[in-house]
Amino acid sequence: MTSTHQDIPAALAQTLRDAQRIVVFTGAGVSAESGIATFRDALTGLWSRFDAQALATPEAFRAQPDIVWGWYEWRRAQALRANPNAAHHAIAALARHVPELLVVTQNVDDLHERAGSARVAHLHGSLHAPRCSDCAAPHTLSSSVTEEAGEGRRIAPPACAVCGAPVRPGVVWFGESLPADAWSGALRAAEQCDLLFSIGTSALVYPAAELPQRALAAGATVVQVNPAMTPLDRQAHCNLHGGAADVMPRLLAAAWPAL
Ligand code: BJW
Ligand code: ZN
């Protein structure tokens, strides 16, 4: 079933009302309408001479810590300025209508929490929880970002207060393991849910992209929300082609019109 932005299928509204356990799996597209660039669009302007996939690695941080730290401070500044959008709010509201709902996000911002979602598993860490690259001691950043954190700026990472090694962003880079608790909780939820939404993700990065597959294999309904096609289009039961901040509130209104 493929839908344009006009219609929410009645059968989907019924599936939503009947669902007991929902997983909402999100990617960068859910924060796009809050003004946070998606991962694969995050290197615009002065950052455009770099390749996001090459910067998001431990090797890049070791070789060019000031470029990588500067990029993450620029993105942290964007996240601090941003507010949750209608998609984050609709997902938080949805949790109040179903017995069990887990948000599993690949995003490193905290917009789901700021919209009021209580159960959020962060598979790829957080922009707001840096740690020592050597001894892993947590490092506290100020809640504002220095004026230095402009587009394309190199910034030297702070030194760890415990051992002096460079502090690194608290995110999961390519080649690194996902946080064990977040990953095992997400897998369990995907295998036990009756409905999984995959929202605003290119579904290219593994192991996160396995979650919709696991849900499908366990017999769940899988619904995708994305303005573009992804590898999941062929398998999802329903593809809602549109922006998340437009589609998610309409989905909620279709299922519970009295609200
Ligand atoms: C909208 C919208 C709107 C726009 N509304 N939608 C199996 C097969 C192949 C490869 C691998 C495999 N297993 C592991 C790998 C290697 C690798 C991998 O997956 N590589 C692929 C590129 C092929 N995976 C790993 O390395 C992972 N670790 C691992 O597997 O550990 C075990 C291991 C250890 C040692 C050796 C080998 C294995 C770790 C992956 C960590 C990914 N981390 C990043 C960076 C985080 C920090 C940061 O943000 O900088 O996470 S990468 C990046 O991709 C980021 C994102 O969370 C993630 C997913 O991206 P996302 O969210 O889908 O964003 P985009 O930009 O791709 O897409 C946005 C979407 O939104 C688009 O579809 C738009 O259309 C849509 N959109 N506006 C709705 N308004
Ligand atoms: Zn240290």
Side-chain angles (χ1 to χ4, degrees), residues 27-29 32-33 38-40 53 71-72 75 106 108 124 171-178 200-202 204-207 226-228 243-244:
E33 287 156 278
T38 61
F39 182 75
R40 279 161 187 78
Q53 203 145 319
W71 183 46
Y72 280 95
R75 291 176 55 202
Q106 299 167 86
V108 292
H124 295 160
V171 301
V172 181
W173 283 324
F174 286 112
E176 295 185 321
S177 300
L178 274 53
T201 173
S202 55
L204 292 173
V205 173
Y206 282 83
N226 198 314

Side-chain angles (χ1 to χ4, degrees), residues 131-181:
R131 64 175 189 274
C132 175
S133 59
D134 192 22
C135 75
H139 178 87
T140 306
L141 286 170
S142 85
S143 58
S144 61
V145 181
T146 64
E147 282 306 308
E148 271 187 292
E151 206 179 320
R153 289 281 186 84
R154 296 170 183 238
I155 303 174
C160 170
V162 178
C163 75
V167 167
R168 58 161 283 174
V171 301
V172 181
W173 283 324
F174 286 112
E176 295 185 321
S177 300
L178 274 53
D181 287 355

Side-chain angles (χ1 to χ4, degrees), residues 170-198:
V171 301
V172 181
W173 283 324
F174 286 112
E176 295 185 321
S177 300
L178 274 53
D181 287 355
W183 177 240
S184 61
L187 261 186
R188 199 169 43 246
E191 285 170 346
Q192 293 175 352
C193 71
D194 34 34
L195 177 57
L196 180 143
F197 286 99
S198 179

